[in-house]
């Protein structure tokens, strides 16, 4: 059901076109006064891309409950349809990150074609050894790649090798490995032996990576383990990536840090040592809340992109981070939240492009802390909405994606074809 035809989108854009043209011209003048060419920045905005999580288009939940909305996607094909709507309207989410076995099908090459027909490709694949699947011989209750039983570790390793195979059929070139392994009580795990088992398992997975693939190690400070998590922070992650080799890097999920951790500094460190894999963008107030990116602390997201643009402009060798959203949408329409979040991440990237880096460097050298902060804030306070909207418009997308999406009444029209699946259950997906 293609509701979002070029004609429909163009029709919706008509109401915004004149205002956009005048706002764009005004911003162009403003930026020109600082020696910035709005056309060059708009081209960079148009080239920006962030992948959407296949598991993010269904309504998310918590351990308490999940309240599915109308026309929920019931399988990976319907998830891709919803991802295609996002890409049609915001034009900066051309790839989907799949999660196995949630997205397993009998023919992954056919899935690749299905996605291509929808204008989508695949980004990093995600393995899952944090849940037991029906009929799974051995349980991950006490861990997976670090389990004390070699048989359980073997099972977890085999699953990761399967994910690489599925990913190759989909055209992916990276495997993200997040494990919830850890302990709930002091003494439950031997902290060193658990990590030795992790490295042993990870080496087997690493050895199976195709030449042009990478392995993204995702750290998380807690949950589901509540006392010790084996890959608990960027330090352990980067040490493991260094142990494993060139193709292993550390992925930063913004929600996986204790409150007030300086995440942009972790990014700077990983860039400096050539070990930044990329990101799972989201936001949080307390724990791993998986809220919409930039919805709680947009300045932090800007500061992360400030480090990334700085690295880009310093032409750091091998700098090629993967950008992905990893969110759970409990009280909003997932399509709307993902469109909003993709645009917010793109916004922070564009604002970081506006930072006057020679001026900032001079303030830093002169220890002029106040002016250094103001130099960053000047870019952060610049409303780059006309640049984002113009980049979308030129690419055939919606000037105002949310209004355009709502005008199509997508969920209402799709609901008859997607009857609700019984039992909403709980949990993030
Ligand atoms: C773990 C995590 C990981 C995914 C999962 C859905 O909290 O961030 O990236 O596998 O969420
Ligand atoms: Mn994540």
């Amino acid at each position: 059901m293609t509701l979002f035809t070029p004609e429909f989108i163009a029709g919706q854009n008509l109401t915004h076109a004149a205002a956009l043209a005048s706002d764009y011209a005004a911003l162009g003048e403003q930026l020109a006064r600082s020696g910035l060419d709005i056309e060059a920045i708009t081209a960079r905005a148009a080239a920006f891309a962030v992948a959407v999580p296949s598991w993010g288009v269904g309504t998310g939940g918590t351990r308490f409950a999940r309240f599915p909305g109308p026309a929920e996607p019931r399988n990976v094909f319907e998830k891709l349809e919803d991802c295609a709507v996002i890409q049609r309207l915001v034009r900066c989410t051309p790839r989907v990150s799949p999660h196995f076995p949630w997205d397993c099908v009998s023919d992954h090459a056919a899935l690749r074609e299905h996605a291509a027909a929808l204008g989508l490709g695949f980004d990093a694949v995600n393995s899952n050894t944090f849940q037991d699947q029906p009929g799974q011989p051995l349980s991950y209750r006490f861990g997976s790649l670090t389990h004390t039983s070699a048989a359980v570790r073997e099972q977890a390793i085999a699953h990761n090798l399967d994910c690489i195979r599925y990913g190759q059929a989909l055209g992916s070139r990276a495997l993200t490995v997040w494990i919830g392994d850890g302990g709930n009580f002091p003494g439950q795990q031997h902290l060193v032996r658990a990590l030795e088992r992790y490295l042993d398992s990870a080496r087997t997975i690493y050895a199976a990576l195709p030449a042009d693939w990478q392995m993204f190690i995702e750290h998380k400070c807690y949950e589901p383990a509540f006392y010790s998590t084996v890959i608990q922070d960027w330090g352990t992650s980067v040490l493991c990536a260094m142990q494993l080799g060139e193709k292993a890097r550390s992925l930063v999920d913004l929600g996986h840090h204790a409150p007030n951790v300086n995440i942009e500094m972790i990014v700077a460190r990983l860039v400096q040592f050539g070990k930044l894999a990329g990101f799972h963008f989201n936001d949080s107030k307390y724990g791993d809340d998986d809220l919409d990116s930039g919805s709680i602390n947009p300045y932090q997201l800007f500061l992360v992109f400030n480090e990334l643009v700085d690295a880009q402009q310093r032409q750091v060798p091998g700098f090629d981070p993967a950008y992905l959203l990893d969110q759970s949408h409990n009280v909003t329409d997932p399509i709307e939240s993902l469109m909003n979040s993709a645009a917010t991440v793109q916004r922070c990237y564009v604002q970081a492009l506006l930072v006057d880096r020679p001026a900032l460097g001079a303030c830093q050298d002169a220890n002029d802390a106040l002016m250094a902060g103001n130099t960053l804030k000047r870019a952060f306070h610049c409303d780059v909405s006309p640049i984002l909207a113009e980049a979308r418009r030129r690419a055939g997308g919606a000037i105002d994606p949310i209004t355009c999406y709502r005008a199509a009444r997508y969920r209402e029209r799709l609901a008859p074809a997607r009857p609700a699946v019984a039992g909403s259950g709980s949990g993030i997906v």
Side-chain angles (χ1 to χ4, degrees), residues 80-116:
L80 290 175
E81 279 170 25
D82 292 357
C83 292
V85 169
I86 296 167
Q87 170 58 0
R88 274 243 169 98
L89 298 179
V90 295
R91 297 288 172 176
C92 63
T93 58
R95 287 183 302 281
V96 176
S97 180
H99 216 300
F100 299 115
W102 296 335
D103 297 327
C104 263
V105 291
S106 54
D107 182 345
H108 290 92
L111 184 64
R112 182 178 185 172
E113 276 155 38
H114 182 84

Side-chain angles (χ1 to χ4, degrees), residues 35-211:
L36 293 164
D37 168 17
I38 193 169
E39 283 304 320
I41 296 165
T42 302
R44 303 279 294 278
F48 181 86
V50 57
V52 289
S54 64
W55 62 93
V57 285
T59 299
T62 70
R63 59 184 169 169
F64 301 105
R66 194 174 80 90
F67 303 95
E72 283 280 315
R74 299 160 301 169
N75 53 54
V76 65
F77 298 96
E78 293 180 350
K79 290 178 185 177
L80 290 175
E81 279 170 25
D82 292 357
C83 292
V85 169
I86 296 167
Q87 170 58 0
R88 274 243 169 98
L89 298 179
V90 295
R91 297 288 172 176
C92 63
T93 58
R95 287 183 302 281
V96 176
S97 180
H99 216 300
F100 299 115
W102 296 335
D103 297 327
C104 263
V105 291
S106 54
D107 182 345
H108 290 92
L111 184 64
R112 182 178 185 172
E113 276 155 38
H114 182 84
L118 290 166
L120 297 170
F122 288 98
D123 208 297
V125 301
N126 299 268
S127 60
N128 175 345
T129 58
F130 50 86
Q131 292 173 324
D132 288 344
Q133 305 303 326
Q136 182 179 299
L138 302 167
S139 172
Y140 294 135
R141 183 177 186 208
F142 294 111
S144 61
L145 297 177
T146 76
H147 199 289
T148 52
S149 146
V152 175
R153 297 198 300 274
E154 284 314 315
Q155 178 182 272
I157 291 167
H159 167 66
N160 279 277
L161 301 193
D162 289 344
C163 291
I164 293 173
R165 229 166 5 86
Y166 304 150
Q168 284 182 285
L170 294 175
S172 297
R173 283 203 292 116
L175 168 69
T176 298
V177 182
W178 171 71
I179 57 169
D181 296 24
N184 277 3
F185 305 101
Q188 179 182 342
Q189 281 202 318
H190 189 289
L191 301 179
V192 173
R193 283 204 286 273
L195 189 61
E196 282 169 351
R197 291 191 294 269
Y198 172 82
L199 283 167
D200 189 50
S201 301
R203 283 193 192 96
T204 309
I205 298 169
Y206 186 90
L209 290 172

Side-chain angles (χ1 to χ4, degrees), residues 386-401:
I387 288 174
L388 305 180
E390 183 60 10
R392 287 192 293 268
R393 187 191 67 76
R394 291 179 185 180
I399 292 173
D400 181 341

